[in-house]
Amino acid sequence: MERSVLIVEDEASIAELVALHLRDLGLKVDVAADGRRGWELAEQGSYDLIVLDLNLPEIDGLELCRRIRAGDRYVPILMLTARSAEVDRVLGIDVGADDYLTKPFSIRELMARVKAIFRRLDAMRPQGEDLSTLEIHDLVIDPSRRRVLRHGEEIYLTAKEFDLLAHFARNPGRVFRRAELLDSVWGYGHDGYGHTVNSHINRLRSKLMAGDEDPRYILTVWGVGYRFREPGEEVSEPGP
Ligand code: CA
């Protein structure tokens, strides 16, 4: 199945270079040179990836990313930013990009990120389109809308937090090492980035905790990694 990518980038030289290399990967590529055109195409098309520049004429990249995220269909978004200071915002819940690259970036790095995003998609959909809703403990996890409900209340997660939760919830009881989580959720093994996993898990845990309750879905396996509590399993160990 041919995959298609939308590039929204107003610098023609960058857009052409990225398009050229993505076509070399066998992808179908559309290019929009401003945010308005980008939005038109994103709305009509069913892209498998959107490479989105942050600073765009007409509609900027942050706004465009928000609009795409507000839609029903999930599409991975790789954001191109000029300043690393913007990264937290870009990946945050109100914008919701999946990954980012800071300009200037190497084509090699871009290709690695794109391949990683597709590998992650493949891993998440082992039977092609496993978007069935998961119900575990008191959580309802809907991969097609990328939404999580607890007692009917939506829990707002970033793209990575959602991926982590879905990955755990599909494999209750299984112990994951940090390197494994980096590989399957982030899609690229980067040595020494175990703290990235830890900080995402800590944020995810605090978002899943309501008030004084401590549902403890994700348990620490000391010296190894993490695992998701199995249905019916009592937790007697001290908190995370
Ligand atoms: Ca730009």
Side-chain angles (χ1 to χ4, degrees):
M1 190 182 65
E2 190 180 44
R3 282 185 151 142
S4 63
V5 181
L6 172 63
I7 299 168
V8 191
E9 166 64 83
D10 58 317
E11 285 167 74
S13 59
I14 294 179
E16 280 163 26
L17 189 68
V18 172
L20 181 79
H21 284 85
L22 292 182
R23 284 185 184 118
D24 277 353
L25 287 180
L27 302 165
K28 182 180 173 296
V29 179
D30 290 336
V31 177
D34 64 65
R36 191 170 306 282
R37 182 72 186 137
W39 174 234
E40 282 169 12
L41 289 172
E43 252 193 328
Q44 298 162 8
S46 51
Y47 294 101
D48 299 294
L49 171 68
I50 298 180
V51 178
L52 184 55
D53 183 33
L54 189 64
N55 295 305
L56 289 167
E58 305 288 341
I59 300 171
D60 77 17
L62 288 179
E63 172 60 22
L64 191 51
C65 193
R66 270 189 214 104
R67 287 192 192 184
I68 295 165
R69 278 288 170 265
D72 276 347
R73 190 182 162 275
Y74 167 73
V75 52
I77 297 173
L78 174 62
M79 200 76 119
L80 307 178
T81 77
R83 292 182 293 135
S84 52
E86 294 162 328
V87 165
D88 281 349
R89 235 182 120 203
V90 160
L91 297 180
I93 183 66
D94 64 321
V95 179
D98 290 79
D99 207 348
Y100 69 93
L101 280 171
T102 307
K103 290 179 180 178
F105 53 85
S106 72
I107 280 295
R108 204 175 144 185
E109 185 63 16
L110 175 89
M111 293 300 113
R113 297 299 176 93
V114 168
K115 287 178 190 165
I117 286 172
F118 287 144
R119 264 204 314 277
R120 182 174 58 77
L121 282 181
D122 289 340
M124 287 176 67
R125 294 170 192 177
Q127 276 84 44
E129 285 283 315
D130 182 15
L131 294 173
S132 54
T133 299
L134 283 157
E135 292 187 36
I136 188 160
H137 302 304
D138 49 6
L139 299 173
V140 177
I141 303 165
D142 178 356
S144 65
R145 288 168 179 264
R146 305 201 37 106
R147 288 185 182 143
V148 180
L149 300 177
R150 181 163 181 257
H151 302 308
E153 298 269 319
E154 182 159 2
I155 299 168
Y156 296 95
L157 301 179
T158 64
K160 281 286 175 284
E161 288 162 359
F162 184 91
D163 291 341
L164 259 179
L165 178 63
H167 191 64
F168 274 115
R170 283 195 179 96
N171 302 280
R174 187 177 148 192
V175 179
F176 292 100
R177 289 176 294 112
R178 288 173 185 83
E180 278 180 275
L181 292 170
L182 272 173
D183 204 43
S184 36
V185 175
W186 276 259
Y188 38 91
H190 20 197
D191 294 333
Y193 282 76
H195 64 272
T196 303
V197 175
N198 297 0
S199 64
H200 276 78
I201 285 185
N202 288 339
R203 265 184 286 146
L204 179 56
R205 278 172 167 167
S206 67
K207 286 186 182 181
L208 293 174
M209 238 178 257
D212 296 336
E213 289 176 76
D214 180 5
R216 265 190 269 152
Y217 304 100
I218 298 167
L219 308 176
T220 301
V221 182
W222 296 105
V224 185
Y226 301 96
R227 69 182 178 85
F228 200 77
R229 183 161 59 91
E230 291 182 80
E233 180 187 353
E234 296 293 327
V235 178
S236 54
E237 65 186 272

